[in-house]
């Protein structure tokens, strides 16, 4: 036992130890609690299916959003009709029954726009031909006939109008170029995202068995944790038993060591006491005649008439007698006789063995629990096989086969269509870029023409004078007019073609997709032909529909919840903890082990302590010793008397008396230093023994009795309490391991419902399709034709203003002779010449 004191404990320490021991002995068994759960008791599982989730796409804010909103409001104005359910039902079930009048009635807004486009396509080129004919006849596009004051105001007004028109066309052309490029940028990734999403969904469905197996394989996490706990549970249980019982055991061993120390120390002091009394008695007998003789000599000397001033010391000399008589104190021979041969047992070895046996409890627990630990490891292997049945019996793949086939069919059918769409989109982008470039060229001609014409006007002194820069400006304006007439029909055709496609996608598909009218149409019985019955193709439950399924999937519902698989497969029943932990729990519950007995006090040691208690050590009258020790060895102080004689020596006039006084003083000093001091030392030694024995005697019987009772009680209670603590620790260990099972099974249920077997990717894919088609493709597509259409329609006022402004940049007809400028300039359009007045 390490750290136990070998000396006598103080009364306060012993009282504290007694209170602790009493509390330990009287404390009811089983009050210990399990250790609180630590963060390490929470299992961490791998996210097994994150790689097959469909990433959600969202509308990205753009600086073109105001333009997109304007186009949508325009389309809502063009197409105000709701989803044509009757027309679509007829088209899907019996296409031959669809009448053109029904289509025209629904597409009335687009028909009107088509009529406007057709009129524009015909009217503008015809107007251009007429203008060319007039120019060839010199009837229009020539020069002003006469100078008037109002020409300046009219010229400025035309400049402003043409500038504003050109600015509008330029802005619209830039928007058309930007949106044209935006469509190209979004079309390619958007089209490739469709088969990717279908493939991802099919992989998600096809990987459900693999995902279920991966979830089941995650049982390795709690299994390894439990096996790791099993490797240390036996030592942990032993250490817990040792830690909870060590206070009681160490207190009993410390108390036993104190009693053994009391026995040995008491025997030692009794022997000293007996020997010292004998020596003091013998020394007194030797000192008595010597002291008597010395007293007679000193009294005779002091009584001599020749001794001057000796009467004052005479009385002290006459009282020179022996003091304490230790022959009168009680004898301890009987006690020593009772204690003869004690201790017969080696208490130190006995305590060491008891301490060693107690400290070996952890190793003993490891040895006793080795067999059950091995059985529990084998049981974990059987539990792994039981968990595998979750994956083997999971029925979801049987129900998702139709979905996988439908997705595969959609993926295969979409590939050629998407390739064609991509090819036509490439043509559209090229056509759009070319036509936007032509519009920019027209705008550039307007800007250069206005700049040169205005500069030429500022340099011309006479309105009738020819000015080459003004003439060049007029020619640039006419080039822009010619380009407008030449390409206007191509512009309007591209605008109408893209408008018809993009507008119907927005009004017929996107608008009804957002408000879920499409889902309602699909859910209505009879709207779709039997070959397009999604409820049957997707193997949905009969009371379900696409809208309900979409909402359930979007909220994270599991496939078996959507498919109502609970009727054929009760997942909760397969995830009940007792199904996998019953045998594991039973083996731990049935385990019992005897950790051995701890003997603190052997029978010979107990007899030694009982003999010590009966020896009569506590019956000796130690007070009589203490009273005798208060009496000095000699009644009169020899050193004081010797100093008095030395003082009288100095006062004597008679040399003989003085010499005798000195001799007597020397004799007293010699007696004090030899005999009396030796006896006083023996008295001091006797006092130490008396103090120890007198302090021990009143409590001896109680302490020995308590020690014997405590030791016997600890020896009896140790196996019982060790067994109780063993059961308690095993119970705590069992509950801890069951929590691992519960955590795993709860995670399995959550993962199978919301991750592996979740149908949320289906809803996400539908939302992504809407984002790709409507937000990322249809919006810039519609913004493109809207901007290009704005350019096209503003070409009409641009042509008018440019033709009228051309006349102001040429010399005014106010002479009869022709200037010849029109004939000499290149790219001349023939017209009537003016005569010089």
């Amino acid at each position: 036992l390490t750290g136990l004191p070998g000396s006598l404990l103080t009364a306060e320490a012993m009282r504290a130890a007694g209170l602790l021991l009493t509390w330990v002995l009287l404390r009811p068994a089983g009050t210990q609690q399990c250790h609180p759960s630590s963060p390490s008791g929470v299992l961490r599982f791998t996210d097994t299916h994150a790689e097959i989730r469909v990433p959600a796409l969202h509308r990205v804010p753009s600086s073109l959003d105001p333009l997109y909103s304007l186009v949508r409001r325009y389309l809502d104005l063009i197409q105000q009709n709701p989803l044509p359910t009757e027309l679509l039902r007829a088209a899907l079930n019996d296409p031959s029954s669809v009448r053109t009048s029904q289509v025209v009635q629904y597409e009335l807004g687009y028909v009107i726009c088509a009529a406007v486009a057709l009129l524009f396509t015909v009217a503008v080129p015809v107007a251009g031909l007429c203008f060319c004919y007039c120019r060839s006849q010199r009837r229009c596009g020539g020069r002003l006939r006469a100078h008037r004051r109002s020409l300046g105001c009219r010229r400025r007004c035309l400049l402003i109008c043409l500038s504003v028109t050109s600015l509008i066309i330029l802005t619209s052309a830039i928007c058309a170029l930007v949106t044209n490029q935006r469509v190209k940028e979004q079309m390619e990734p958007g089209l490739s995202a469709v088969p990717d999403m279908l493939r991802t969904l099919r992989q998600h469905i096809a990987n459900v068995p693999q995902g279920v197996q991966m979830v089941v394989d995650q049982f390795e996490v709690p299994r390894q944790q439990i096996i790791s706990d099993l490797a240390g549970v036996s030592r942990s249980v032993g250490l817990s038993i040792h830690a909870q019982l060590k206070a009681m055991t160490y207190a009993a061993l410390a108390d036993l060591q104190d009693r053994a120390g009391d026995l040995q120390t008491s025997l030692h002091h009794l022997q000293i006491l007996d020997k010292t009394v004998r020596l003091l008695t013998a020394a007194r007998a030797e000192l008595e005649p010597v002291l008597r003789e010395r007293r007679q000599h000193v009294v005779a000397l002091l009584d001599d008439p020749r001794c001057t001033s000796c009467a004052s010391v005479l009385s002290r000399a006459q009282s020179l007698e022996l003091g304490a008589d230790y022959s009168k104190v009680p004898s301890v021979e009987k006690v020593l006789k009772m204690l003869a041969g004690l201790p017969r047992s080696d208490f130190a070895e006995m305590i060491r063995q008891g301490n060693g046996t107690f400290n070996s409890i952890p190793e003993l627990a490891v040895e006793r629990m080795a067999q059950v630990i091995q059985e529990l490891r084998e049981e974990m292997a059987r539990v792994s096989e039981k968990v595998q049945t979750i994956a083997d019996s999971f029925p979801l793949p049987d129900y998702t086969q139709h979905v996988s086939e439908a997705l595969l069919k959609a993926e295969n059918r979409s590939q050629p269509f998407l390739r064609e769409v991509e090819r036509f989109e490439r043509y559209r982008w090229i056509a759009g870029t070319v036509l936007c470039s032509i519009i920019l060229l027209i705008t550039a001609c307007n800007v250069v023409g206005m700049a040169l014409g205005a500069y030429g006007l500022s340099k011309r002194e006479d309105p009738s004078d020819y000015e080459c820069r003004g003439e060049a400006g007029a020619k640039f304006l006419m080039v822009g007019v010619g380009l407008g007439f030449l390409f206007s029909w191509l512009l309007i055709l591209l605008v109408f073609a893209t408008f018809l496609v993009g507008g119907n996608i927005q009004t017929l598909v996107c608008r009804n997709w957002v408000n879920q009218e499409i889902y309602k149409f699909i859910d209505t019985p009879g709207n779709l032909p039997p070959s397009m019955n999604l409820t049957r193709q997707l193997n949905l439950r009969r009371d379900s529909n696409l809208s309900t399924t979409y909402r359930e999937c979007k909220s994270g519902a599991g496939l078996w919840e959507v498919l109502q698989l609970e009727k054929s497969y009760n997942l909760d029943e397969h995830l009940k903890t007792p199904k996998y932990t019953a045998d594991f729990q039973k083996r731990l519950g049935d385990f019992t082990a005897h950790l051995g007995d701890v003997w603190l006090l052997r029978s010979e040691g107990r007899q030694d302590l009982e003999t010590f208690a009966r020896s009569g050590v506590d019956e000796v009258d130690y007070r009589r010793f203490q009273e005798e020790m208060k009496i000095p060895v000699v009644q009169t102080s020899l050193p004081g008397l010797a100093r008095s004689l030395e003082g009288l020596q100095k006062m004597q006039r008679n040399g003989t008396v003085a010499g005798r006084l000195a001799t007597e003083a020397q004799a007293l000093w010699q007696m004090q230093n030899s005999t009396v001091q030796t006896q006083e030392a023996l008295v001091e030694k006797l006092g130490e023994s008396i103090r120890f024995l007198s302090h021990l005697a009143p409590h001896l019987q109680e302490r020995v009795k308590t020690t014997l009772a405590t030791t016997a009680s600890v020896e009896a209670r140790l196996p019982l309490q060790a067994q109780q603590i063993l059961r308690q620790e095993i119970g705590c260990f069992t509950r801890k391991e069951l929590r691992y099972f519960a955590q795993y099974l709860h995670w399995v249920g959550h993962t199978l419902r919301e991750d592996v077997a979740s149908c949320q990717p289906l809803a996400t894919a539908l939302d992504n399709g809407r984002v790709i088609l409507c937000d990322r493709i249809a919006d810039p597509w519609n913004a493109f034709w809207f901007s290009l259409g704005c350019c096209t329609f503003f070409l009409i006022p641009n042509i008018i203003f440019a033709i009228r402004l051309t006349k102001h940049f040429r010399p005014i007809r106010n002479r009869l002779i022709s200037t010849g400028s029109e004939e000499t300039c290149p790219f001349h359009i023939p017209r009537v010449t003016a005569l010089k007045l």
Side-chain angles (χ1 to χ4, degrees):
L1 182 65
T2 57
L4 289 178
S7 61
L8 177 67
L9 291 174
T10 62
E12 291 77 8
M14 292 181 67
R15 188 178 301 110
L19 291 174
L20 175 62
L21 184 61
T22 302
W23 176 79
V24 171
L25 292 175
L26 295 179
R27 182 180 56 174
T31 58
Q32 297 89 352
Q33 300 297 324
C34 294
H35 303 294
S37 299
S38 61
S40 60
V42 179
L43 300 177
R44 303 294 181 186
F45 301 101
T46 304
D47 189 2
T48 58
H49 244 55
E51 69 278 2
I52 60 173
R53 288 176 179 166
V54 177
L57 302 179
H58 302 283
R59 179 185 179 89
V60 180
S62 171
S63 57
L64 296 174
D65 286 346
L67 178 59
Y68 297 161
S69 300
L70 176 62
V71 175
R72 283 195 293 269
R73 286 195 292 271
Y74 174 75
L75 288 174
D76 289 339
L77 182 64
I78 294 296
Q79 179 57 281
Q80 301 180 7
N81 297 322
L83 183 70
T85 56
E86 298 295 333
L87 182 60
L88 289 176
R89 181 188 297 114
L92 292 173
N93 292 274
D94 187 9
S96 60
S97 64
V98 177
R99 295 190 299 275
T100 306
S101 59
Q102 294 177 318
V103 178
V104 171
Q105 182 180 358
Y106 176 75
E107 297 280 345
L108 183 60
Y110 293 98
V111 171
I112 295 174
C113 292
V116 172
L118 180 62
L119 178 63
F120 188 95
T121 304
V122 174
V124 175
V126 169
L129 292 175
C130 294
F131 178 74
C132 290
Y133 177 76
C134 290
R135 284 290 296 163
S136 65
Q137 299 298 321
R138 298 183 179 182
R139 294 182 180 275
C140 58
R143 296 184 295 177
L144 296 173
R145 295 183 178 276
H147 178 73
R148 297 182 180 85
R149 293 181 179 179
S150 61
L151 288 179
C153 180
R154 187 182 304 173
R155 184 188 307 121
R156 285 190 295 272
C157 182
L158 289 173
L159 276 171
I160 293 174
C161 291
L162 184 57
S163 299
V164 172
T165 306
S166 299
L167 181 61
I168 294 174
I169 293 175
L170 177 63
T171 304
S172 301
I174 293 174
C175 290
L177 277 173
V178 172
T179 52
N180 186 51
Q181 184 64 28
R182 184 70 58 87
V183 173
K184 181 178 182 297
E185 293 173 355
Q186 295 294 335
M187 183 67 73
E188 183 176 354
L191 294 178
S192 62
V194 173
D196 289 343
M197 278 194 303
L198 294 175
R199 192 178 306 110
T200 303
L201 287 175
R202 188 162 49 83
Q203 290 174 353
H204 173 73
I205 299 300
N207 286 342
V208 166
Q210 179 184 356
V212 173
Q213 184 60 47
M214 293 173 67
V215 170
V216 170
D217 291 343
Q218 286 291 301
F219 180 68
E220 189 67 15
V221 175
R223 193 182 76 86
Q224 289 296 337
Q225 181 65 47
I226 293 171
I227 289 178
S228 175
D229 292 347
L230 286 173
V233 65
S234 54
R235 177 166 293 276
S236 176
V237 169
L239 291 175
S240 180
I241 294 173
H242 183 273
Q244 295 187 44
L245 297 181
K246 67 179 181 181
M248 176 178 68
T249 305
Y250 287 170
L253 289 173
D255 195 43
L256 179 59
Q257 184 168 349
D258 290 341
R259 298 295 76 76
D262 289 346
L263 172 58
Q264 294 177 347
T265 307
S266 299
L267 181 59
H268 172 70
H269 282 294
L270 285 172
Q271 292 172 348
I272 291 176
L273 186 147
D274 182 65
K275 182 179 178 181
T276 303
V277 169
R278 292 177 184 276
L279 291 175
L280 286 173
T281 302
R284 189 178 189 283
E286 294 177 1
L287 182 59
E288 184 177 6
V290 177
L291 185 62
R292 187 186 307 111
E293 181 181 359
R294 186 56 52 204
R295 183 184 60 192
Q296 292 175 357
H297 290 172
V298 173
V299 170
L301 178 60
L302 293 177
D303 198 28
D304 191 340
R306 294 176 294 176
C307 185
T308 305
S309 302
C310 293
S312 59
V313 184
L314 180 60
S315 60
R316 292 169 59 192
Q318 290 175 347
S319 61
L320 192 61
E321 297 177 352
L322 290 174
D325 185 2
Y326 288 95
S327 61
K328 301 177 182 179
V329 296
S331 175
V332 293
E333 292 181 1
K334 182 179 179 182
V335 177
L336 287 173
K337 186 177 180 180
M338 288 287 295
L339 297 177
L342 295 183
R344 288 183 289 272
S345 57
D346 188 351
F347 280 95
E349 179 64 18
M350 192 184 309
I351 292 173
R352 187 189 65 79
Q353 291 180 358
N355 186 54
T357 303
F358 177 73
N359 288 337
S360 66
I361 286 179
E363 288 75 15
L364 191 61
V366 173
E367 179 183 347
R368 295 287 193 272
M369 295 184 67
Q371 180 62 32
V372 72
I373 295 300
Q374 181 60 33
E375 293 176 356
L376 291 174
R377 289 196 179 104
E378 296 173 357
E379 179 60 29
M380 289 305 300
R382 289 189 286 272
V383 172
S384 298
E385 297 176 358
K386 294 180 181 178
V387 173
Q388 181 61 38
T389 60
I390 297 177
D392 297 340
S393 61
F394 202 68
L396 195 57
D398 300 335
Y399 290 84
T400 55
Q401 182 179 0
H402 297 283
V403 180
S404 298
E405 293 175 355
L407 292 174
L408 180 60
K409 186 183 298 183
E411 182 182 350
N412 294 333
R413 290 182 176 179
S414 65
Q415 295 288 350
F417 173 76
L418 294 176
R419 283 195 293 270
E420 289 298 317
V421 171
E422 187 175 0
R423 184 167 65 87
F424 283 114
E425 164 57 23
R426 189 180 304 112
Y427 297 152
R428 184 209 60 81
W429 178 80
I430 294 173
T433 303
V434 171
L435 292 178
C436 288
S437 301
I438 293 173
I439 292 175
L440 292 177
L441 181 60
I442 294 173
T443 306
C445 290
N446 288 344
V447 173
V448 174
M450 286 187 292
L452 291 176
Y455 185 72
L457 287 176
S458 66
K459 295 298 182 180
R460 190 168 59 186
E461 296 179 357
D462 188 350
S464 62
D465 291 341
Y466 174 81
E467 215 290 318
C468 64
R469 282 164 292 194
E471 186 67 23
K475 292 181 181 299
F476 270 106
L477 290 178
M478 292 308 295
V479 170
V481 170
L483 291 174
F485 281 128
L486 185 61
F487 290 100
S488 60
W489 67 278
L490 290 176
L491 287 170
I492 198 64
L493 287 180
L494 180 61
V495 168
F496 179 72
T498 53
F499 160 71
L500 187 62
V501 175
N504 276 288
I505 289 176
Q506 173 62 36
T507 57
L508 187 62
V509 179
C510 294
R511 185 171 64 188
N512 295 292
W513 199 339
V514 172
N515 57 27
Q516 297 189 2
E517 288 295 328
I518 291 181
Y519 297 149
K520 295 177 182 178
F521 173 80
I522 295 174
D523 293 337
T524 303
N527 284 349
L528 297 179
S531 60
M532 299 178 62
N533 191 338
L534 294 181
T535 302
R536 182 174 56 83
Q537 290 187 3
L538 299 179
N539 201 21
L540 301 177
R541 60 180 187 262
R542 293 185 177 180
D543 61 340
S544 179
N545 52 49
L546 187 60
S547 300
T548 305
T549 303
Y550 170 76
R551 287 193 297 269
E552 291 177 352
C553 292
K554 193 173 182 64
S555 64
L559 285 178
W560 65 84
E561 182 179 346
V562 174
L563 303 176
Q564 282 193 340
L565 298 182
E566 294 86 352
K567 298 179 179 179
S568 59
Y569 184 81
N570 191 343
L571 182 61
D572 293 331
E573 184 66 28
H574 286 77
L575 297 180
K576 287 185 177 179
T577 305
K579 181 177 180 180
Y580 307 95
T581 62
D583 293 338
F584 184 89
Q585 190 173 2
K586 184 176 184 300
R587 289 182 184 276
L588 283 173
D590 295 343
F591 172 73
T592 57
H594 182 62
L595 300 181
D597 297 326
V598 179
W599 298 105
L600 306 181
L601 184 61
R602 306 291 181 182
S603 59
E604 57 270 19
R606 184 177 298 275
Q607 291 175 3
D608 286 348
L609 292 181
E610 292 174 351
T611 302
F612 178 46
R614 295 194 308 268
S615 64
V617 175
D618 55 330
E619 297 176 359
V620 178
D621 188 3
Y622 299 104
R623 187 180 57 188
R624 182 70 186 87
F625 284 90
Q626 294 170 349
E627 291 175 355
E628 198 65 33
M629 288 168 58
K630 294 177 182 179
I631 304 174
V633 176
V634 181
Q635 293 287 355
T636 301
S637 173
L638 293 181
L641 182 58
R643 283 191 290 270
S644 298
L645 293 179
E646 291 172 352
L648 290 176
Q649 175 193 354
K650 298 176 181 179
M651 298 172 58
Q652 300 301 318
R653 292 187 295 273
N654 188 319
T656 303
V657 174
R660 290 178 61 190
L661 286 172
T663 302
E664 293 300 330
Q666 185 67 30
L668 290 174
W669 279 115
Q670 184 178 1
M671 184 183 299
Q672 173 66 28
N673 292 335
S674 59
T675 307
V676 176
Q677 281 189 357
T678 300
Q679 293 187 41
E680 289 177 348
L682 291 174
V683 171
E684 183 64 28
K685 185 176 182 180
L686 179 64
E688 294 179 3
S689 299
I690 292 299
R691 282 192 294 273
F692 173 80
L693 294 171
S694 61
H695 184 76
L696 175 66
H699 311 287
L700 177 61
Q701 295 289 340
E702 179 184 355
R703 289 179 180 176
V704 172
K705 182 179 179 181
T706 301
T707 299
L708 294 175
T710 299
T711 305
S713 176
V714 170
E715 291 177 344
R717 290 173 63 87
L718 267 177
L720 298 177
Q721 290 199 0
Q723 191 64 229
Q724 291 175 355
I725 296 172
L726 173 67
R727 298 307 312 154
Q728 176 195 344
E729 291 297 322
I730 289 179
C732 291
F733 174 77
T734 303
R735 289 190 288 275
K736 177 184 176 183
E737 306 314 307
L738 293 183
R739 283 196 295 269
Y740 290 144
F741 282 103
Q743 284 184 52
Y744 169 72
L745 295 174
H746 174 74
W747 176 81
V748 168
H750 176 79
T751 305
L752 291 181
R753 287 187 174 95
E754 300 185 11
D755 189 359
V756 173
S758 173
C759 72
Q760 191 170 20
L762 301 176
T764 305
L766 288 176
D767 292 339
N768 290 349
R770 181 188 57 78
V771 171
I772 292 172
L773 177 63
C774 300
D775 296 339
R776 298 192 176 183
I777 296 179
D779 278 350
W781 175 290
N782 290 327
F784 165 73
W785 63 253
F786 186 83
S787 301
L788 192 63
C790 184
C791 295
T792 304
F793 281 101
F794 270 92
L795 283 178
I796 297 176
N798 177 81
I799 291 173
I800 297 172
F801 294 142
I803 292 174
R804 295 182 65 85
L805 187 61
T806 300
K807 296 181 180 182
H808 292 270
F809 293 158
R810 288 179 173 144
I812 300 176
R813 294 180 185 180
N814 54 5
R815 296 180 184 180
L816 295 176
I817 302 174
S818 173
T819 60
S821 60
E822 295 181 4
E823 289 76 5
T824 58
C825 290
F827 307 106
H828 174 65
I829 300 176
R831 60 183 182 274
V832 178
T833 58
L835 295 177
K836 186 176 180 180
L837 296 176

